[in-house]
Amino acid sequence: MELSSILKPEAVKVFSAASSKKRLFQEIAEVAHTAHGFDPQSTVEALMERESLGPTGVGHGVALPHARLSGVDTVTGVFVMLEKPMDFGAVDRQPVDIAFTLFAPEEAGVEHLKALALVSRTLREQPLCTKLRANLDPTKLYAILTEAQSVQAA
């Protein structure tokens, strides 16, 4: 599995700020609607429901929100950079400025877990996150993400 199979260039965005997790999830849902055709309301509801089980802020300014959605046939993602980091209830209490959201089919098992592991592994690389934070152009962000994984695989 490769990031380029999960993430489309049009699903990479930069937001100046988000006032709350719910507001961020609404923004992500709009991107998911435009890029993947997902219903924005059910997308926000699924993300909020998953987040109620425990925060998806994994530390070092990174969050990995994820949800299973009906009508989704393959694991897909939305990548968002926040110009102004926000509190996400992360394990290390650091505010989040990188959010990679994954959406999976309701019946997805191993594929969903593989995608989460892939994204987690990729965003655990501090030099990569530093590079992402230095670029606020969605086209460059997409290239950095997909290029990073190609290098890791080689």
Side-chain angles (χ1 to χ4, degrees), residues 3-12 28-39 43 69 71-79 100-103:
L3 283 181
S4 59
S5 68
I6 298 170
L7 189 65
K8 294 179 176 181
E10 59 270 25
V12 176
I28 289 169
E30 286 303 317
V31 175
H33 174 70
T34 303
H36 306 294
F38 299 165
D39 174 63
T43 301
L69 297 174
V72 173
D73 46 359
T74 184
V75 177
T76 56
V78 170
F79 179 85
F100 198 123
T101 307
L102 287 172
F103 301 100

Side-chain angles (χ1 to χ4, degrees), residues 10 15 24 35 39 45 53 67 76 87 98 105 107 110-111 118-119 132-133 137 139-140 143 146-147 149 151-152:
E10 59 270 25
F15 298 135
L24 177 63
D39 174 63
E45 288 169 6
L53 300 175
T76 56
D87 178 41
I98 295 174
E107 65 286 343
V110 175
E111 286 302 304
L118 169 66
V119 172
L132 290 168
R133 289 180 173 111
D137 174 76
T139 306
K140 287 181 184 169
T146 54
E147 179 183 292
Q149 199 202 350
V151 171
Q152 284 179 354

Side-chain angles (χ1 to χ4, degrees), residues 35-114:
H36 306 294
F38 299 165
D39 174 63
Q41 184 176 342
S42 58
T43 301
V44 171
E45 288 169 6
L47 288 169
M48 291 299 291
E49 184 179 319
R50 167 54 192 89
E51 200 68 21
S52 72
L53 300 175
T56 54
V58 295
H60 303 287
V62 176
L64 302 177
H66 52 280
R68 295 172 190 263
L69 297 174
S70 64
V72 173
D73 46 359
T74 184
V75 177
T76 56
V78 170
F79 179 85
V80 172
M81 286 290 302
L82 293 170
E83 290 180 20
K84 183 179 176 231
M86 65 177 286
D87 178 41
F88 217 84
V91 292
D92 64 357
R93 301 182 194 270
Q94 295 296 313
V96 163
D97 62 347
I98 295 174
F100 198 123
T101 307
L102 287 172
F103 301 100
E106 284 184 315
E107 65 286 343
V110 175
E111 286 302 304
H112 179 63
L113 296 176
K114 282 183 181 176

